[in-house]
Amino acid sequence: MCFQMEYDIKSVEKKWQQRWEETGVFHASNKSEKPKFFCLVEFPYPSGNGLHVGHPRSYTALDVVARKKRLEGYNVLYPMGWDAFGLPTENFAIKNKIHPGIVTKNNIARFKAQLQSLGFSFDWSREINTTDPNYYKWTQWIFLKLFENGLAYKKEMAVNWCTSCKCVLANEEVVNGLCERCNSDVVRKVKSQWMLKITEYAERLINDLDELNFIDRVKAQQKNWIGRSTGAEVDFKSTLGDTLTVYTTRPDTLFGATYMVLSPEHPAIEKWAEHIENMDEVKAYQEAAARKSDFERTEVNKDKTGVQLAGVRAINPVNDKKIPIFISDYVLVSYGTGAIMAVPGHDTRDWEFAKKFSLPIVEVVAGGDVEQEPFTDCETGVMVNSGILTGLSVEDAKKKITAWLEEQGRGKPSVQYKLRDWVFSRQRYWGEPIPIVLCPECGYVPLPESELPLKLPTIDSFEPTDNGESPLAKLTEWVNTTCPHCGKPAKRETDTMPQWAGSSWYFLRYTDPHNDTALASKEALDYWTPVDWYNGGMEHTTLHLLYSRFWHKFLYDIGVVPSKEPYAKRTSHGMILGENGEKMSKSRGNVVNPDDIVNAFGADTMRLYEMFIGDFEKSAPWNTSSIKGCKRFTERFWTLNDIVVKGDAYRENLESAFHRTIKKVTEDIDNLKANTAIAALMSLLNDIYETGAINRAELRTFTILLNPFAPHITEELWERQGFGGVVTSQPWPVYSEEKCKESTVEIVVQINGKIRARLTVDAEIKAEDAITRAKADEAIAQAIEGKAIVKEFYVPGKLVNIVIKP
RNA sequence: GCGGAUAUGGCGGAAUUGGCAGACGCGCCAGAUUUAGGAUCUGGUGGGCGACCCCCGUGCAGGUUCAACUCCUGUUAUCCGCACCA
């Protein structure tokens, strides 16, 4: 009754939020007798739009976990920070002529206020910010270590160039040939770029997934992205006497190779220039291919094009046949050796190409009709027309021919990955400066560690340039420096790091955020890492999540971190969609602002609804009218104040329900099933109201169980009831398996699997007694009268099934 | 094409090992209270009938089983990731 008069949501929630901060209850200690638990959510990019209701889904879910783990006696680290370098801020700064540093500061203030209004138990004393020089000092330090270990290198290469951001993109940032961020065209541009050798870790990034508790779709997606394939490299001699190596996953089909295809960028073409009779035509094709954007190149994937290199042929090592060599853009320079042997009988692309250019198709695996369509099945086919391989299965043929090639010195087994090295330079202002100096004498020279952080200079105009240079290049004074090695005049690197740099190691900094002599102390890292539970969006699976695993493995290799992998467990939340079931976005006009929800319903209700909305891993449409259910639940909880009676043990009629609810809530939180945990609490509350009262023991338990979801109202009730202390420092309730059982249960009685009666029986009833009771039931007795009973089943506590002949 | 998922009332969603389909909530209906509206409370709510009996019902078609949302085979639709990766 009179809920509003007694419980003023705004002031109560504010009161507890302030008290938590003042008393530092959520500050984690780096030394503790308790077991540690490091609980992590992806730190946000503080955009100008503020949070929308999607952000708190992840934060609330792990806040519930963190709060429950504390009640269970763990020393919990649940930190938050800001991933603040990046383009949107820079673009906003350009447009509004405000320095990005100021924009960032304002955005962070807004985000922080929003997060605090939701009552998350973050340890704000460990707040980090990737744009803080004390932070990016260590981002730069890691880069220097990568450089020192040969994993950062500069290379002239064709890169993805976003025409609107005027900036290079990593492969991971290009979606359907368009810029992931602004959807503008991405074209190829040859530029000198800093690269990180993530490919060196490809094998370990795949293999070590096996030991991790990551949800399967994350593992699958990473494996897919790294794209390991096994096959063989085969050396073909050319008629000019040199060797061309191809990569194939089907060495078994070598006898069916009737031509060869090089990518248009293959270096052999230059080498053979004077021998190629149709060099003009070849050049024209190369130029046309180079002009195509990635998007065009994949879009036209139906129609195969190409040009034969006149005047040179390749020799098939197994049968010495001279076969034509083509160039075609269906062969990629960056995969394998940039050259393939074409087996039109058994590869779809080669078949299309052969049909178009009227090239011979030879069947070497029996099982299909290669004139009609390529036969690509590896399971059932038998080798034909294949010399020493004839009669073997595909699997055996692969082994035999690979061994033969090795013996002959004409090939070897080979493993290839789709993963490419990570393009690490960005021609923009708002990022970490790359701490490298280019000296005409000494080449690329790293800054000494003592000169870190290399601060981002203050600058008036941070607009991107059209010539592909970073805005920093205009700062002559800053650019011109001396070589740390020889002391002569030299120039600084003017590109900055990509947005993904700061987030590739941020979780480590939380363990010791104010350390100024190391990225974190060894003790802190030993104590806290790896992260016990990391939740984040699927969209980061092949970006941040992969990059940070790579950096972590590197840091492990050089002895900085104690664990091979950064995250022991990874889960992922589904998106919150707009009310219309579409993705929430400004342009669709369906964005819900959490501030409005907190204002109208309070943080506790907001949190409950975020968790109750549905299966955590699936996307779910927001529905403001459904929030009422959660609102009513908090009100009904508060109204328990009016019906409290004395009692220091669960009443008999509710004891079992309490034990079952404790079990359910405990297990569901661990399994990210907050929706059913809340449903169980609602159910128990309904049961309590049916009895017309709640005693103090019951109210204590209920309040603690609800606390992780609705921390403010539970603390307030606890205080008003004078239970002593705060809920946050209570022990989590315990249940006993024994007491979860009810003494009597309702079972159903089936005849041939159809329900015909219901009985209430003793929970411990024996099978034969249950069946006897069932048969004694009037309806059942009638149904089985005069029928032959074939079989009888009793499933304890569930049902009796009597099978009769009809 | 490859990889991953999903399909259950009007809606969001439950169903731990094959064992009562639809928990919990929204919405809706009826009643109470209220000057009215709103709010709150009580009861009802998968379909075939208003009630009984009974029948039907978890994308579709088969199968296994005493028993199938759950297992198997096939199939359709939707979503996500990758994609000329040899």
Side-chain angles (χ1 to χ4, degrees):
Chain A
M1 309 234 338
C2 303
F3 181 88
Q4 258 128 12
M5 287 175 66
E6 288 190 46
Y7 187 82
D8 180 60
I9 297 176
K10 283 193 182 121
S11 64
V12 169
E13 291 187 344
K14 188 139 205 193
K15 163 184 150 187
W16 287 103
Q17 286 160 13
Q18 279 171 356
R19 196 171 300 178
W20 292 329
E21 228 13 71
E22 281 159 20
T23 56
V25 278
F26 301 130
H27 293 188
S29 165
N30 276 10
K31 279 205 182 94
S32 170
E33 295 300 302
K34 299 171 176 178
K36 70 98 181 178
F37 193 81
F38 188 173
C39 197
L40 185 67
V41 287
E42 285 164 353
F43 63 160
Y45 175 75
S47 71
N49 302 326
L51 294 175
H52 65 72
V53 292
H55 288 96
R57 195 179 197 191
S58 172
Y59 307 156
T60 309
L62 285 214
D63 191 53
V64 169
V65 171
R67 284 174 177 274
K68 179 204 166 220
K69 284 280 177 189
R70 281 192 204 95
L71 297 174
E72 286 181 324
Y74 285 84
N75 180 30
V76 173
L77 173 55
Y78 187 42
M80 184 40 81
W82 316 104
D83 185 14
F85 274 130
L87 272 178
T89 299
E90 188 170 338
N91 290 338
F92 181 89
I94 290 166
K95 204 170 154 194
N96 297 283
K97 309 241 180 285
I98 312 172
H99 191 274
I102 295 168
V103 177
T104 299
K105 205 175 146 211
N106 294 341
N107 290 349
I108 287 177
R110 167 111 188 269
F111 266 68
K112 189 168 176 180
Q114 286 188 303
L115 291 179
Q116 286 182 324
S117 80
L118 284 159
F120 295 127
S121 64
F122 293 129
D123 178 353
W124 288 109
S125 74
R126 296 177 184 242
E127 179 179 352
I128 60 170
N129 176 344
T130 56
T131 65
D132 178 349
N134 293 322
Y135 180 91
Y136 69 68
K137 172 180 179 179
W138 300 105
T139 313
Q140 292 172 331
W141 182 85
I142 296 170
F143 181 85
L144 289 182
K145 291 289 159 193
L146 286 160
F147 180 79
E148 203 176 285
N149 285 274
L151 291 167
Y153 60 98
K154 201 154 191 190
K155 192 184 171 192
E156 176 101 350
M157 65 174 298
V159 292
N160 307 300
W161 176 262
C162 172
T163 49
S164 163
C165 301
K166 294 178 181 166
C167 182
V168 224
L169 303 176
N171 290 325
E172 288 81 353
E173 292 170 308
V174 182
V175 176
N176 291 330
L178 301 176
C179 173
E180 173 200 52
R181 222 172 282 108
C182 66
N183 277 328
S184 307
D185 274 344
V186 173
V187 296
R188 297 165 164 279
K189 190 161 183 160
V190 174
K191 277 191 66 70
S192 181
Q193 298 297 316
W194 282 100
M195 305 285 294
L196 297 187
K197 249 188 221 174
I198 189 171
T199 51
E200 191 125 309
Y201 284 75
E203 185 72 12
R204 284 162 67 190
L205 287 168
I206 285 196
N207 290 346
D208 293 350
L209 281 173
D210 290 342
E211 301 157 27
L212 298 174
N213 182 12
F214 285 14
I215 52 169
D216 288 341
R217 53 195 176 125
V218 169
K219 286 190 186 183
Q221 211 167 299
Q222 288 206 345
K223 272 187 193 164
N224 217 268
W225 182 261
I226 298 168
R228 177 169 61 196
S229 80
T230 53
E233 282 173 28
V234 183
D235 297 334
F236 283 64
K237 286 263 182 278
S238 81
T239 49
L240 298 173
D242 49 3
T243 303
L244 267 177
T245 304
V246 301
Y247 171 73
T248 178
T249 54
R250 294 292 305 275
D252 54 294
T253 61
L254 191 46
F255 285 86
T258 53
Y259 60 98
M260 182 184 274
V261 188
L262 311 183
S263 72
E265 301 88 350
H266 198 284
I269 301 163
E270 265 330 291
K271 208 168 91 186
W272 294 338
E274 50 194 74
H275 300 281
I276 296 172
E277 292 155 14
N278 57 342
M279 203 54 197
D280 289 349
E281 201 187 344
V282 169
K283 279 236 156 74
Y285 188 83
Q286 285 179 310
E287 277 159 25
R291 242 181 289 116
K292 286 182 190 171
S293 69
D294 274 0
F295 187 62
E296 290 170 299
R297 229 166 135 151
T298 52
E299 197 184 32
V300 292
N301 85 39
K302 295 266 149 51
D303 208 17
K304 295 276 180 290
T305 58
V307 175
Q308 187 177 348
L309 303 183
V312 56
R313 287 176 166 252
I315 302 166
N316 188 333
V318 287
N319 54 19
D320 291 333
K321 280 195 180 146
K322 290 181 185 159
I323 58 176
I325 304 174
F326 288 80
I327 60 169
S328 172
D329 63 4
Y330 87 86
V331 173
L332 308 175
V333 69
S334 47
Y335 185 78
T337 61
I340 61 154
M341 62 178 213
V343 185
H346 306 283
D347 179 278
T348 314
R349 295 148 308 186
D350 298 345
W351 189 88
E352 285 169 13
F353 192 89
K355 278 285 173 194
K356 180 157 178 193
F357 289 86
S358 304
L359 295 159
I361 298 171
V362 174
E363 181 184 55
V364 289
V365 185
D369 178 358
V370 296
E371 279 307 318
Q372 294 311 305
E373 57 176 9
F375 180 70
T376 55
D377 184 358
C378 297
E379 309 278 309
T380 60
V382 176
M383 304 307 301
V384 293
N385 305 325
S386 291
I388 55 168
L389 304 180
T390 300
L392 296 179
S393 70
V394 167
E395 266 326 292
D396 290 344
K398 276 184 188 172
K399 283 182 204 140
K400 185 156 184 180
I401 192 69
T402 307
W404 182 87
L405 286 165
E406 247 183 325
E407 259 168 48
Q408 302 286 314
R410 292 173 162 195
K412 58 177 188 201
S414 173
V415 177
Q416 295 291 332
Y417 302 91
K418 285 196 243 178
L419 187 70
R420 307 292 151 78
D421 277 344
W422 173 8
V423 181
F424 200 68
S425 316
R426 296 294 182 273
Q427 294 68 41
R428 296 294 298 237
Y429 172 71
W430 195 230
E432 300 88 345
I434 293 175
I436 295 281
V437 169
L438 176 57
C439 168
E441 305 273 326
C442 314
Y444 293 109
V445 180
L447 283 192
E449 216 177 300
S450 59
E451 287 187 29
L452 298 185
L454 171 60
K455 288 195 185 166
L456 189 57
T458 312
I459 186 174
D460 293 330
S461 159
F462 11 81
E463 309 237 358
T465 60
D466 290 321
N467 62 6
E469 288 213 342
S470 159
L472 290 177
K474 289 179 287 189
L475 276 189
T476 334
E477 247 174 70
W478 183 80
V479 173
N480 289 327
T481 183
T482 51
C483 170
H485 190 237
C486 68
K488 289 185 187 155
K491 287 185 189 301
R492 290 189 195 280
E493 171 63 58
T494 57
D495 284 358
T496 54
M497 298 189 199
Q499 151 136 57
W500 312 106
S503 60
S504 290
W505 70 280
Y506 76 111
F507 50 97
L508 299 174
R509 188 64 177 172
Y510 285 134
T511 67
D512 193 9
H514 309 297
N515 194 321
D516 55 8
T517 59
L519 59 83
S521 73
K522 188 174 179 320
E523 294 74 38
L525 292 168
D526 282 344
Y527 179 70
W528 285 113
T529 64
V531 173
D532 294 282
W533 189 341
Y534 190 19
N535 186 76
M538 277 311 285
E539 71 275 18
H540 290 126
T541 301
T542 55
L543 289 159
H544 158 66
L545 196 69
L546 194 63
Y547 293 152
S548 59
R549 286 185 63 221
F550 160 46
W551 276 35
H552 193 86
K553 284 182 173 301
F554 165 70
L555 292 172
Y556 172 75
D557 288 349
I558 62 169
V560 174
V561 296
S563 55
K564 279 202 295 189
E565 285 281 342
Y567 320 115
K569 173 174 179 174
R570 169 76 176 189
T571 54
S572 194
H573 54 275
M575 246 189 303
I576 301 275
L577 306 172
E579 301 230 20
N580 53 2
E582 288 173 26
K583 195 172 164 174
M584 242 182 229
S585 73
K586 240 179 165 178
S587 58
R588 291 192 177 88
N590 60 355
V591 174
V592 180
N593 184 333
D595 296 349
D596 299 336
I597 306 298
V598 171
N599 271 329
F601 300 95
D604 285 330
T605 297
M606 166 79 183
R607 294 168 57 107
L608 279 164
Y609 180 63
E610 288 268 347
M611 293 296 93
F612 189 63
I613 193 166
D615 184 335
F616 185 70
E617 296 202 349
K618 288 189 210 146
S619 54
W622 185 264
N623 184 338
T624 298
S625 81
S626 283
I627 299 173
K628 275 186 210 158
C630 293
K631 174 76 173 159
R632 284 179 191 144
F633 176 55
T634 59
E635 289 171 356
R636 274 159 65 78
F637 168 71
W638 185 254
T639 311
L640 288 174
N641 274 316
D642 298 343
I643 57 165
V644 187
V645 297
K646 283 187 183 157
D648 49 15
Y650 304 132
R651 285 166 294 163
E652 206 186 325
N653 52 346
L654 285 177
E655 184 176 35
S656 162
F658 264 92
H659 280 270
R660 280 200 310 269
T661 307
I662 296 168
K663 181 178 158 120
K664 179 86 180 140
V665 173
T666 306
E667 292 176 354
D668 282 356
I669 291 175
D670 290 337
N671 295 320
L672 268 182
K673 300 230 176 258
N675 54 335
T676 48
I678 293 167
L681 286 167
M682 287 173 167
S683 223
L684 179 60
L685 190 63
N686 291 342
D687 292 346
I688 290 166
Y689 271 104
E690 231 161 77
T691 70
I694 185 164
N695 74 28
R696 290 179 63 82
E698 291 162 352
L699 186 55
R700 288 177 72 107
T701 294
F702 196 93
T703 304
I704 299 170
L705 289 179
L706 182 59
N707 173 261
F709 303 99
H712 311 86
I713 197 171
T714 46
E715 287 290 5
E716 185 68 13
L717 181 137
W718 192 269
E719 190 179 69
R720 294 225 193 162
Q721 287 297 325
F723 283 146
V726 288
V727 184
T728 307
S729 53
Q730 301 306 308
W732 188 248
V734 289
Y735 65 91
S736 101
E737 255 343 306
E738 202 48 43
K739 297 211 165 131
C740 287
K741 292 177 189 156
E742 296 223 67
S743 54
T744 60
V745 288
E746 192 189 62
I747 61 168
V748 298
V749 184
Q750 301 178 331
I751 303 286
N752 290 350
K754 302 245 182 216
I755 297 161
R756 287 295 178 267
R758 289 169 191 277
L759 296 176
T760 302
V761 298
D762 191 289
E764 302 297 318
I765 194 169
K766 287 194 188 118
E768 56 264 39
D769 296 338
I771 291 165
T772 312
R773 282 278 311 276
K775 287 178 184 167
D777 182 273
E778 209 181 313
I780 301 299
Q782 246 176 42
I784 60 176
E785 170 142 31
K787 304 275 168 61
I789 293 175
V790 182
K791 237 173 181 178
E792 297 163 336
F793 296 85
Y794 173 61
V795 182
K798 307 262 185 193
L799 57 73
V800 168
N801 189 12
I802 300 171
V803 185
I804 58 170
K805 270 195 183 150

